[in-house]
Amino acid sequence: NAGVTQTPKFRILKIGQSMTLQCTQDMNHNYMYWYRQDPGMGLKLIYYSVGAGITDKGEVPNGYNVSRSTTEDFPLRLELAAPSQTSVYFCASSYDGSKDTQYFGPGTRLTVL
Amino acid sequence: DAKTTQPPSMDCAEGRAANLPCNHSTISGNEYVYWYRQIHSQGPQYIIHGLKNNETNEMASLIITEDRKSSTLILPHATLRDTAVYYCIVRLTGANNLFFGTGTRLTVIP
């Protein structure tokens, strides 16, 4: 199993550009999550999904969109990039949401200039 | 909010036990204590979790006080590869996410 994979590893965007961060898991997990981590801080939840076709907002959803058309994939979309979105983005998955372990991907480092 | 308090940093000599404390004085009866760690620039890695009994796995031991207001993560023989930020997290019942604070930066010294 590859676990949770994320692409790209690094990206630089100009203000106003858009992009999609990809996340795929091969563990047949129902739950998937997107977090962001600013320098020196802990992770903050952006969006999560409890299954294909179902998504919900987390703590910091503004400026982002997600979709979950399959169990495996959970892409994160930035429509109009802003410098405040410069961060490291982590995708995670778990089989069950209530107390199951979350498995994290390696992260995408995004810089918006 | 993370509902936990951890020291910002700690040092530990290589080969010695690392004891990382965490206060969670407002924990509810059905909330679990989780520990994750994040090695530089990598995604967080699950270590261990518990409700009220002490727990041990191949990575670490978790000691939870009887009143559940605090806990200690023990790495029995710290190695240089254990240098990381360690997060103590109280998992809200029924919640679908983890609230990360700023954690404890553990540095293992040769």
Side-chain angles (χ1 to χ4, degrees):
Chain A
N1 285 352
V4 180
T5 57
Q6 293 183 237
T7 56
K9 286 186 169 55
F10 304 94
R11 184 71 185 269
I12 298 175
L13 284 181
K14 294 182 179 177
I15 295 173
Q17 285 186 320
S18 62
M19 76 163 294
T20 299
L21 283 68
Q22 301 291 346
C23 175
T24 300
Q25 55 91 8
D26 62 359
M27 297 175 282
N28 201 31
H29 283 171
N30 295 314
Y31 289 70
M32 295 188 74
Y33 314 82
W34 274 106
Y35 294 88
R36 60 176 285 174
Q37 185 174 33
D38 298 331
M41 305 297 289
L43 282 70
K44 291 186 183 297
L45 183 69
I46 305 171
Y47 270 95
Y48 68 96
S49 168
V50 303
I54 306 170
T55 63
D56 208 346
K57 295 177 181 178
E59 192 180 354
V60 290
N62 291 344
Y64 307 94
N65 281 299
V66 294
S67 59
R68 184 94 181 270
S69 57
T70 67
T71 300
E72 296 78 19
D73 301 305
F74 190 40
L76 178 71
R77 179 84 177 161
L78 283 72
E79 290 294 350
L80 292 170
S84 61
Q85 294 178 304
T86 294
S87 192
V88 180
Y89 291 83
F90 291 100
C91 180
S93 72
S94 66
Y95 182 72
D96 180 90
S98 60
K99 59 179 185 293
D100 195 27
T101 301
Q102 289 188 16
Y103 296 87
F104 286 80
T108 294
R109 186 175 296 274
L110 175 67
T111 302
V112 182
L113 300 174
Chain B
D1 291 335
K3 297 179 59 175
T4 63
T5 303
Q6 298 177 254
S9 64
M10 292 181 63
D11 293 338
C12 177
E14 187 178 17
R16 304 297 294 267
N19 297 282
L20 291 88
C22 179
N23 286 323
H24 31 79
S25 57
T26 60
I27 193 170
S28 300
N30 53 358
E31 291 179 330
Y32 284 75
V33 178
Y34 276 71
W35 283 84
Y36 279 73
R37 73 180 182 182
Q38 188 174 24
I39 296 171
H40 180 61
S41 298
Q42 298 180 20
Q45 175 191 25
Y46 166 81
I47 301 173
I48 199 167
H49 74 281
L51 183 62
K52 52 185 175 182
N53 296 324
N54 297 337
E55 302 287 345
T56 295
N57 63 20
E58 65 278 5
M59 289 182 69
S61 294
L62 175 61
I63 308 298
I64 303 175
T65 57
E66 193 169 339
D67 63 7
R68 302 208 327 122
K69 292 185 186 299
S70 65
S71 61
T72 301
L73 178 74
I74 301 172
L75 307 179
H77 305 286
T79 70
L80 298 179
R81 286 177 294 183
D82 292 323
T83 292
V85 177
Y86 288 76
Y87 296 98
C88 169
I89 300 163
V90 170
R91 190 75 177 270
L92 301 176
T93 304
N96 297 324
N97 60 76
L98 303 168
F99 288 103
F100 288 81
T102 51
T104 295
R105 181 173 297 279
L106 174 70
T107 303
V108 180
I109 303 168

